[in-house]
Amino acid sequence: MFFECSRLIDGNQPRLSNGITVTDVDGDGAFELVVTGYATNNLVLKWDGSRLVDIAGPLLADASGCAVAIAAADVDGDGREELYVLNSDRASGPKEMGDRLFACFGKHWLDLLAQPENAGMANRVAGRSVVAMDRHGHGRYGFVVAADGGPFRLFELSRRGRLEDAAEDAGIDLIGAGRGLLALPFLSDRVDLFACNEGGPNFLFRNLGDGTYEEIAEERGVADSRFAGRAVAAVDGPGYGGFGLLVGAWEGPQRLFVQRSGGGFVDEADPEMSFPGRVSSVIAADFDNDGYEELFFNLHGEPNRLFGWRDERWQAIDLGDALEPKGLGTGAVVADIDGDGRLELLIAHGNGVGGGHGGGSPQPLSLYRTAANHNGWLRVLPLTPYGAPARGAVVTCTANGRRQVRSVCAGSGYLCQMEPVAHFGLGSARAVERLEVRWPDGMTAIVENPPIGRLLTVPYPPE
């Protein structure tokens, strides 16, 4: 499936890397890849037409940080995404180093968590993942932080412009060994939240419609309390009644929870897919544009795995160069870096989390492409009322009478956040009959017969 092109990353030296997000850092309308570094600098990788070059300034590089996870979203409604960087200088419990919340004002970046008025919001508990969540559907996001040894946090900007922890108000301030997070409308008409936990049951929070949540993991069959949940991604599988949950475990069975008509989930991973391994991250994406997502498992110190929908079932398929049998995988993302309509795969390695599972040592980043083919494609970028990417929006594409559904990524895999674009492979289809975009507040827009082979930006509907 993949061939390596890591040579396209300028100055790609061995390092301890963890999370990755895809966002427009410099405000030019194109997305960059932000890669966290543990006891080394963060990277902002920009495609210059022939390679990826690091454009991080000193503040974003934050060379003294112990960065683990990262997510982007528009917190203040200015149309630009802020960056939340989760630092963890130890594996669990209290930590010394606080997190960062970088905001851009013009061309100047500022750490909001370093401002005196936000001193009380410093996160001093180790964590693993962070996800953007627009729980009210207003187009202003908060960041959920999965703590390890403390309650989950939800950082939002108050009307007075100060950060506040709204986790208790939202009803998500539970204590767990939090790992992967996923936020999208898959249980209700608003943004719901799934959280993997290690050494305890997973959390499944359903939005009650007013921005508060109830926890229903046991009721819906996804608590899975015996195994160390590590990573999660939303899956649009053939015949699914809604988004499925691909859950990767650390040295435990992998799960493919499929939602049934009654609202409960059933694990449909066969023995080959569920085989235990040290899974670091999972991704569901259509790499070959055949109209069906592939399921990618990034492992730590073991060969990676890839499954495709073939002959009416999930089957293991050849990874090619992305097998990485000795790769110390930590995070992975997909994005169309060069604008050719095919997704690239970027994998981070190292695992610098103090005392974390699996240990680690510096390794370079890996970048992979797929071979060109004649399959059609369409990419959709919904925007909030403020003009920022509408993370958590759901896009439905109908082509040749078949429906595909994607969520615009607010956070996924483990430590990571994919590009804020709904990517659709179309296979042999040469036209799309209909697109439906549904924003986190329930607002919808219909686009009939959209052009294919392009990135289609869909603004929030006017009043």
Side-chain angles (χ1 to χ4, degrees):
M1 173 72 76
F2 297 102
F3 61 91
E4 186 173 6
C5 51
S6 303
R7 66 187 184 281
L8 299 178
I9 305 174
D10 185 52
N12 186 24
Q13 298 298 313
R15 48 180 274 131
L16 294 175
S17 302
N18 288 304
I20 312 170
T21 188
V22 187
T23 183
D24 182 6
V25 173
D26 58 7
D28 68 348
F31 296 122
E32 287 79 45
L33 299 116
V34 187
V35 184
T36 63
Y38 193 90
T40 186
N41 57 302
N42 303 321
L43 304 174
V44 178
L45 299 177
K46 184 176 185 64
W47 182 252
D48 71 355
S50 61
R51 59 180 181 165
L52 288 167
V53 297
D54 181 21
I55 63 167
L59 185 71
L60 293 184
D62 195 20
S64 63
C66 295
V68 177
I70 187 168
D74 184 7
V75 173
D76 54 9
D78 67 350
R80 291 282 298 272
E81 292 197 306
E82 282 69 49
L83 283 168
Y84 192 103
V85 179
L86 174 61
N87 284 306
S88 284
D89 47 31
R90 59 194 63 196
S92 63
K95 65 179 183 179
E96 295 295 326
M97 181 167 290
D99 300 340
R100 314 283 192 245
L101 179 52
F102 295 118
C104 188
F105 299 91
K107 294 185 178 181
H108 177 66
W109 286 88
L110 185 71
D111 178 9
L112 297 182
L113 283 167
Q115 305 311 301
E117 63 269 22
N118 295 321
M121 287 296 103
N123 178 32
R124 295 298 181 183
V125 178
R128 284 296 185 276
S129 287
V130 57
V131 68
M133 188 168 75
D134 182 6
R135 62 184 176 118
H136 294 293
H138 294 163
R140 294 174 181 255
Y141 291 79
F143 289 107
V144 178
V145 177
D148 191 336
F152 279 35
R153 309 289 295 273
L154 171 56
F155 295 104
E156 296 178 340
L157 208 62
S158 72
R159 293 181 179 178
R160 295 187 299 167
R162 295 185 177 183
L163 288 171
E164 59 184 14
D165 182 3
E168 182 179 2
D169 177 66
I172 65 169
D173 58 331
L174 301 186
I175 296 176
R179 296 298 185 261
L181 296 171
L182 185 69
L184 72 155
F186 63 99
L187 300 172
S188 70
D189 292 332
R190 297 293 186 266
V191 174
D192 308 299
L193 177 68
F194 179 83
C196 294
N197 278 304
E198 188 169 281
N202 300 324
F203 298 149
L204 181 62
F205 297 102
R206 178 172 60 188
N207 195 322
L208 297 177
D210 59 358
T212 64
Y213 292 81
E214 64 173 348
E215 202 287 309
I216 57 171
E218 185 71 33
E219 171 189 327
R220 294 299 177 91
V222 295
D224 207 20
S225 57
R226 293 193 299 150
F227 302 105
R230 176 57 58 95
V232 59
V235 179
D236 172 34
Y240 291 7
F243 284 109
L245 298 174
L246 180 66
V247 179
W250 186 269
E251 297 182 334
Q254 320 312 325
R255 307 295 195 191
L256 179 56
F257 290 116
V258 177
Q259 195 169 178
R260 294 308 182 195
S261 57
F265 289 82
V266 177
D267 180 19
E268 292 195 353
D270 65 16
E272 188 174 24
M273 182 182 290
S274 65
F275 191 78
R278 291 183 167 189
V279 171
S280 288
S281 197
V282 293
I283 291 175
D286 189 353
F287 291 105
D288 57 5
N289 285 339
D290 67 346
Y292 297 90
E293 290 182 312
E294 284 77 48
L295 309 181
F296 174 72
F297 293 81
N298 179 215
L299 282 86
H300 187 90
E302 303 176 35
N304 296 326
R305 305 173 190 169
L306 185 68
F307 293 83
W309 187 256
R310 307 288 189 269
D311 299 325
E312 303 301 315
R313 66 184 184 91
W314 294 107
Q315 297 186 37
I317 56 179
D318 184 12
L319 273 160
D321 292 343
L323 188 66
E324 291 196 350
K326 297 182 179 180
L328 302 175
T330 51
V333 298
V334 294
D336 181 10
I337 294 170
D338 54 5
D340 66 354
R342 286 180 288 134
L343 295 173
E344 280 78 38
L345 171 67
L346 181 68
I347 302 177
H349 310 92
N351 186 21
V353 183
H357 284 305
S361 61
Q363 291 184 342
L365 301 169
S366 295
L367 181 64
Y368 298 97
R369 284 173 162 167
T370 59
N373 58 40
H374 297 293
N375 290 335
W377 55 273
L378 174 63
R379 294 165 51 76
V380 184
L381 171 60
L383 301 179
T384 69
Y386 307 105
R391 296 186 184 269
V394 174
V395 184
T396 303
C397 172
T398 303
N400 279 353
R402 179 173 170 266
R403 296 171 70 251
Q404 297 184 59
V405 185
R406 303 283 186 270
S407 176
V408 178
C409 186
S412 184
Y414 174 55
L415 316 179
C416 295
Q417 187 185 54
M418 311 298 141
E419 61 175 354
V421 175
H423 178 93
F424 297 96
L426 301 176
S428 61
R430 291 296 174 261
V432 168
E433 291 101 60
R434 176 186 172 100
L435 276 179
E436 178 181 303
V437 180
R438 179 161 56 90
W439 280 264
D441 65 351
M443 180 68 76
T444 60
I446 305 296
V447 182
E448 302 285 357
N449 303 309
I452 68 170
R454 58 169 290 183
L455 173 66
L456 179 67
T457 300
V458 183
Y460 186 85
E463 294 288 342

